[in-house]
Amino acid sequence: MKTLIILAHPCEDSFNRAICDEVKQHLEYKKHDVKIRDLYKLKFDPVLKEDNYSSFYQTELPKDIKEEQDYITWAENLVMIFPTWWNGMPAMLKGYIDRVFTNGFAFRFTKGESEGLLKEKKAVVFQTTGQPEDIMKPNQLVSSMETIVDVGILDYCGLDVITHKFFFSVQHINKEAREVMLKEVNGIVDIL
């Protein structure tokens, strides 16, 4: 199996990085070929510019976009790992999606209907937050983010979303609680 991890957190010592390392180690142990796209390390430019927008409808894409699309094409599984900032994904990841998941690559319109072009690929989402679950869920913040990411982006592009796992109160829990979460990560990626 070929698995692409897309990591969107700027800090090397973040829990998001720990999740990434755990996923990589576990899947490599299971004989997956794993590649990581650490968007901050890559200094990926998330800003959609007019010339990028116009080029989405042409055959020539900017080199950085073509490279990312090649990684996604290569992968059978996508694992997205990111924190919750302002009840959504970081701008870095949103910009990556805006620029990379283009019309003609990730989806297309035919006779007024959209078609996802990333079919037969699986997706797993790991999202961390500093907020407790008992605040996030009653306020519909979890379900709204699941709808946007899982339905509005990934499913729209044809990906089979296996799970979207939230880890709550990450900044406020102890090392032992984080270790339990990392064990849960292994159980989730076992289904890939």
Side-chain angles (χ1 to χ4, degrees):
M1 295 295 283
K2 296 180 284 190
T3 300
L4 182 67
I5 301 171
I6 300 169
L7 174 63
H9 197 291
C11 300
E12 276 293 315
D13 64 347
S14 70
F15 188 61
N16 284 253
R17 168 58 69 180
I19 293 169
C20 179
D21 293 344
E22 191 71 26
V23 170
K24 180 180 187 294
Q25 180 180 2
H26 189 72
L27 289 180
E28 285 180 343
Y29 176 77
K30 290 182 60 179
K31 307 296 185 212
H32 281 236
D33 189 1
V34 179
K35 295 183 181 181
I36 299 172
R37 304 307 288 161
D38 182 334
L39 303 184
Y40 285 92
K41 259 191 189 173
L42 292 169
K43 294 184 171 52
F44 182 83
D45 180 2
V47 179
L48 180 65
K49 299 170 184 73
E50 194 282 328
D51 60 331
N52 296 148
Y53 186 79
S54 299
S55 70
F56 291 168
Y57 300 97
Q58 301 167 7
T59 55
E60 255 184 67
L61 291 172
K63 183 181 173 189
D64 63 332
I65 301 307
K66 177 72 171 99
E67 182 178 10
E68 296 307 315
Q69 289 181 349
D70 287 346
Y71 278 107
I72 292 169
T73 299
W74 165 85
E76 296 167 271
N77 306 308
L78 294 181
V79 177
M80 297 179 124
I81 304 168
F82 58 92
T84 304
W85 290 346
W86 290 107
N87 297 303
M89 65 180 71
M92 175 66 84
L93 182 58
K94 179 61 168 70
Y96 180 88
I97 292 165
D98 287 347
R99 293 191 66 216
V100 175
F101 285 54
T102 60
N103 185 356
F105 169 72
F107 66 94
R108 72 172 158 230
F109 289 103
T110 310
K111 297 178 184 174
E113 293 187 19
S114 64
E115 175 190 7
L117 300 178
L118 300 178
K119 295 176 183 144
E120 300 183 22
K121 295 182 187 295
K122 296 177 184 173
V124 170
V125 179
F126 292 110
Q127 187 170 352
T128 62
T129 178
Q131 293 288 329
E133 186 173 5
D134 63 353
I135 289 177
M136 301 277 298
K137 283 194 171 178
N139 289 308
Q140 305 303 312
L141 297 173
V142 169
S143 60
S144 64
M145 286 184 276
E146 287 172 332
T147 300
I148 290 167
V149 175
D150 303 354
V151 179
I153 298 170
L154 300 175
D155 182 64
Y156 184 83
C157 294
L159 288 142
D160 179 14
V161 181
I162 302 301
T163 192
H164 185 150
K165 176 64 182 169
F166 283 81
F167 291 112
F168 298 97
S169 302
V170 171
Q171 293 96 325
H172 311 290
I173 58 174
N174 61 29
K175 183 180 177 185
E176 291 74 24
R178 288 183 182 205
E179 290 299 323
V180 169
M181 289 177 175
L182 291 176
K183 284 183 180 153
E184 192 173 352
V185 166
N186 289 335
I188 290 169
V189 296
D190 269 341
I191 57 181
L192 294 177

